[in-house]
């Protein structure tokens, strides 16, 4: 038996229950599809199969296929995940339920509007990127403790998992606060007072309930909950000084 025939022989139908919604159409609903899958089939591949073979109007968002772009973030069996690296075989038996991430407006099907997510970031401070590609760049002090919080892939999974964001859409959220903490560790021109003042705002660091769901959901090990606690320590030290 050829390798391709062997792979086909290992395929088995898996039930995917996918969220469907079109603006101006009928209300939200769950649609069920039997999808061929092997042990290696990812949720994203299964969703693409539905779009190609069942319904070309099925809205999904994806790009890189290797957990770098963050565009395929969604809820899989009620938990935040990147569809491109989540294998259906890892989800146990039974139907796989796929829904858009929470706490952001749904545009259609599994596609959410990311504008409110990006709008939460402190716009007065420039985005910081690693200097490792520039050999002449100044090395920050304390390099042994330096961490690349720009590794955030802006997938929105932390915001989706956040219980505060679920009840208060004015909360700036874990990704923006982790970004602010990263800026505090930047020695090349960051305005610490301005960043701390932003983080000390009414809807910022003190709104966090320390559930740590954001860190659990983060696929890039940014650890936003720990960054929020670090921001609180900075603000507390400033008040004691």
């Amino acid at each position: 038996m050829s390798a391709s025939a062997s792979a086909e022989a290992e395929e088995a139908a898996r039930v995917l229950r996918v969220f469907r919604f079109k603006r101006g159409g009928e209300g939200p609903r769950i649609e069920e599809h039997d999808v061929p899958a092997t042990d290696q089939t990812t949720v994203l591949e299964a969703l693409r199969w539905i779009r190609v073979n069942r319904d070309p109007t099925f809205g999904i968002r994806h790009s890189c296929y290797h957990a770098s772009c963050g565009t395929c973030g969604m809820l899989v069996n009620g938990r935040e995940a990147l569809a491109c690296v989540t294998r259906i075989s890892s989800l146990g038996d039974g139907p796989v339920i796929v829904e858009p991430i929470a706490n952001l407006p749904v545009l259609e099907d599994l596609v959410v509007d990311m504008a409110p997510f990006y709008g939460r970031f402190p716009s007065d401070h420039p985005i910081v990127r690693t200097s490792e590609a520039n050999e002449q760049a100044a090395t920050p002090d304390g390099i042994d403790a330096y961490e690349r919080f720009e590794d955030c892939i802006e997938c929105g999974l932390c915001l989706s998992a956040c219980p505060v964001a679920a009840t208060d859409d004015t909360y700036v959220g874990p990704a923006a606060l982790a970004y602010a903490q990263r800026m505090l560790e930047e020695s090349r021109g960051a305005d610490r007072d301005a960043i701390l003042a932003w983080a000390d705002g009414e809807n910022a660091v003190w709104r966090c309930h320390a559930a740590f769901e954001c860190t659990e959901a983060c696929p890039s090990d940014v650890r936003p909950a720990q960054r929020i606690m670090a921001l609180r320590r900075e603000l507390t030290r400033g008040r004691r000084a």
Side-chain angles (χ1 to χ4, degrees):
M1 182 182 294
S2 68
S4 60
S6 177
E8 291 176 359
E10 293 174 2
E11 285 188 351
R14 290 296 303 265
V15 175
L16 262 69
R17 293 178 179 166
V18 297
F19 179 91
R20 299 302 304 271
F21 169 73
K22 301 293 185 186
R23 294 187 176 186
E26 60 182 293
R29 69 189 190 278
I30 296 294
E31 192 174 83
E32 186 168 300
H33 294 274
D34 292 331
V35 178
T38 70
D39 286 346
Q40 303 302 313
T41 301
T42 66
V43 171
L44 179 57
E45 289 169 333
L47 295 174
R48 283 176 49 82
W49 186 92
I50 293 172
R51 186 164 67 182
V52 170
N53 295 280
R54 295 286 175 81
D55 186 353
T57 72
F58 181 35
I60 56 177
R61 184 170 172 255
H62 66 89
S63 184
C64 75
Y65 287 94
H66 55 266
S68 291
C69 71
T71 56
C72 68
M74 55 191 66
L75 294 178
V76 179
N77 287 351
R79 299 295 297 179
E80 286 73 17
L82 294 178
C84 68
V85 291
T86 302
R87 293 180 182 175
I88 290 180
S89 59
S90 72
L91 302 172
D93 297 328
V96 177
I97 302 171
V98 187
E99 302 165 284
I101 57 175
N103 305 328
L104 289 169
V106 178
L107 294 176
E108 70 165 49
D109 299 334
L110 300 177
V111 181
V112 300
D113 184 358
M114 292 296 288
F117 172 79
Y118 298 123
R120 286 169 157 86
F121 283 72
S123 59
D124 293 338
H125 310 296
I127 294 174
V128 175
R129 291 290 182 254
T130 181
S131 65
E132 64 188 18
N134 184 354
E135 296 179 358
Q136 298 180 352
T139 302
D141 294 333
I143 190 67
D144 292 339
Y146 187 73
E147 297 186 50
R148 289 183 54 188
F149 295 116
E150 65 270 21
D151 280 348
C152 172
I153 59 175
E154 300 175 357
C155 59
L157 296 187
C158 62
L159 187 70
S160 174
C162 176
V164 178
T167 60
D168 182 1
D169 60 9
T170 66
Y171 174 48
V172 299
L177 290 168
Y179 166 83
Q181 171 60 21
R182 166 67 182 86
M183 289 293 293
L184 289 183
E185 299 186 353
E186 173 57 47
S187 65
R188 293 165 292 181
D191 187 337
R192 291 180 56 85
D193 291 340
I195 294 167
L196 287 170
W198 176 86
D200 200 21
E202 179 181 359
N203 301 311
V205 71
W206 304 109
R207 289 289 289 119
C208 172
H209 291 183
F212 280 68
E213 291 290 340
C214 55
T215 290
E216 183 69 22
C218 179
S220 299
D221 197 31
V222 174
R223 303 189 307 283
Q226 288 86 336
R227 296 302 97 210
I228 294 171
M229 296 306 105
L231 272 175
R232 287 181 174 179
R233 288 192 295 271
E234 288 283 345
L235 289 165
T236 300
R237 277 195 290 267
R239 290 170 181 175
R240 289 175 178 172

